[in-house]
Amino acid sequence: MRVPKMEPIKARIHREVVGKVKSITLEADAAGDYYAAVLWEDGLAEKEPLKEIYEDQVIGIDVGIKDLLTESNGRKEPNPRHLKHARKVLRRRCRQFSRTQKGSRRREKARRRLARAHKRVANARTDNLHKVSSRLVNESQALAAESLRIINMLKNHHLAESIADAAWGELLRMIAYKMKREGKYFIQIDTFYPSSKMCSCCGFKLEKLDLATREWACPHCGAHHDRDGNAAANIRAEGIRILRAEGLPVLRREMSSPNAR
């Protein structure tokens, strides 16, 4: 890699650069590793947004702590809890760092060990989020999710660490740009939409639903709901309504009769 006013730098290029290079940004992280972010023009046009979509290709997702997310089709993505599993190693690295003398070489060595331990957690989290978001994008034409006020949610000291470890904001950011790149749709519904308190079968709305209540039965139609699954189904229905309100055809597939010739 050639950078102005510097000798050629040996680099591991993980992706072929095809096109005109516009800029190269060099940076070093706390662990002492150097990275180069290359911006180039590939000359390819962006994909056109889909002109129509099918209802069975619309998925609603409800994020959580016990499960990272629940889909409207009933599938649940488990929460890996990377920080919790790495806590023992991080504490040991922190103790080793705190015992060193300021300004010494051992302190710098311990600092880098601690930074690498945190980096492994961050890399594992990012890798999992990329896999989950890519799967959702590949399996759908439109995705619907709630608009979350994560900064306000982090003020809850009992859940702040778990919320930060789940990285909902980063997951939704990845979904948004990947859906746009593929010409698909990502809808974020209003924060105060009562997705958890409303029955996805009949539309009955509960006056109150505690966070500890994970399952409930509708007093109007008697339907039994898993809290997260019901919320995902309501989010999907609201997402379809928004898409149709914006003028996008959301079609139903016609089921062929087994007796048809």
Side-chain angles (χ1 to χ4, degrees):
M1 181 174 293
R2 296 182 180 275
V3 181
K5 300 182 181 180
M6 293 182 67
E7 295 293 328
I9 305 171
K10 290 183 179 181
R12 296 179 181 177
I13 309 298
H14 75 286
R15 184 180 303 174
E16 184 181 1
V17 178
V18 181
K20 183 179 179 182
V21 176
K22 304 294 290 185
S23 66
I24 300 176
T25 303
L26 301 178
E27 63 177 14
D29 61 15
D33 297 325
Y34 289 84
Y35 295 89
V38 184
L39 175 66
W40 74 86
E41 290 182 354
D42 55 13
L44 301 176
E46 292 186 358
K47 286 189 177 181
E48 291 290 330
L50 298 174
K51 302 299 182 182
E52 59 182 31
I53 60 177
Y54 291 94
E55 276 192 5
D56 59 354
Q57 291 294 304
V58 181
I59 298 177
I61 56 176
D62 180 61
V63 296
I65 295 176
K66 181 180 178 181
D67 296 299
L68 181 61
L69 60 88
T70 303
E71 302 174 29
S72 54
N73 54 22
R75 180 171 181 174
K76 292 179 180 285
E77 186 69 36
N79 187 359
R81 297 180 183 269
H82 299 287
L83 185 60
K84 180 180 178 180
H85 294 156
R87 192 183 304 278
K88 185 176 180 180
V89 174
L90 292 174
R91 284 177 177 172
R92 184 167 66 249
R93 294 285 182 249
C94 284
R95 287 197 298 268
Q96 292 172 350
F97 174 70
S98 64
R99 291 168 182 166
T100 56
Q101 185 177 358
K102 290 184 179 181
S104 65
R105 287 184 297 177
R106 285 189 176 181
R107 186 176 181 86
E108 177 61 20
K109 187 176 180 180
R111 185 196 65 79
R112 290 201 176 189
R113 274 205 210 101
L114 177 60
R116 288 194 189 97
H118 279 288
K119 184 178 177 180
R120 279 193 290 271
V121 175
N123 288 345
R125 182 187 299 115
T126 302
D127 178 68
N128 181 67
L129 294 178
H130 271 298
K131 290 176 180 177
V132 172
S133 58
S134 296
R135 179 183 64 77
L136 289 169
V137 171
N138 293 335
E139 293 178 355
S140 66
Q141 294 178 332
L143 284 170
E146 283 184 303
S147 298
L148 301 175
R149 298 186 178 183
I150 299 176
I151 294 178
N152 293 340
M153 298 172 73
L154 290 174
K155 295 178 182 178
N156 185 333
H157 300 297
H158 298 287
L159 300 175
E161 183 179 284
S162 298
I163 292 173
D165 189 27
W168 298 334
E170 181 65 11
L171 174 62
L172 297 178
R173 186 192 71 83
M174 289 181 180
I175 291 174
Y177 83 75
K178 290 179 182 181
M179 293 293 281
K180 183 179 179 181
R181 184 176 62 192
E182 297 298 322
K184 299 178 179 180
Y185 297 90
F186 178 55
I187 311 100
Q188 288 190 276
I189 66 175
D190 187 74
T191 306
F192 299 102
Y193 181 74
S195 58
S196 298
K197 297 190 293 183
M198 189 168 63
C199 176
S200 58
C201 297
C202 67
F204 178 83
K205 181 181 174 183
L206 294 176
E207 293 184 3
K208 186 178 180 181
L209 184 64
D210 295 332
L211 186 60
T213 305
R214 308 314 303 172
E215 296 182 0
W216 60 280
C218 177
H220 185 264
C221 67
H224 186 269
H225 296 298
D226 171 76
R227 180 194 181 103
D228 297 334
N230 177 67
N234 285 325
I235 291 170
R236 174 183 177 274
E238 179 66 8
I240 292 175
R241 187 195 67 79
I242 293 174
L243 288 172
R244 285 174 172 161
E246 294 176 351
L248 181 70
V250 182
L251 310 177
R252 293 182 180 178
R253 296 186 190 271
E254 294 184 2
M255 301 299 294
S256 59
S257 172
N259 298 325
R261 295 181 181 179

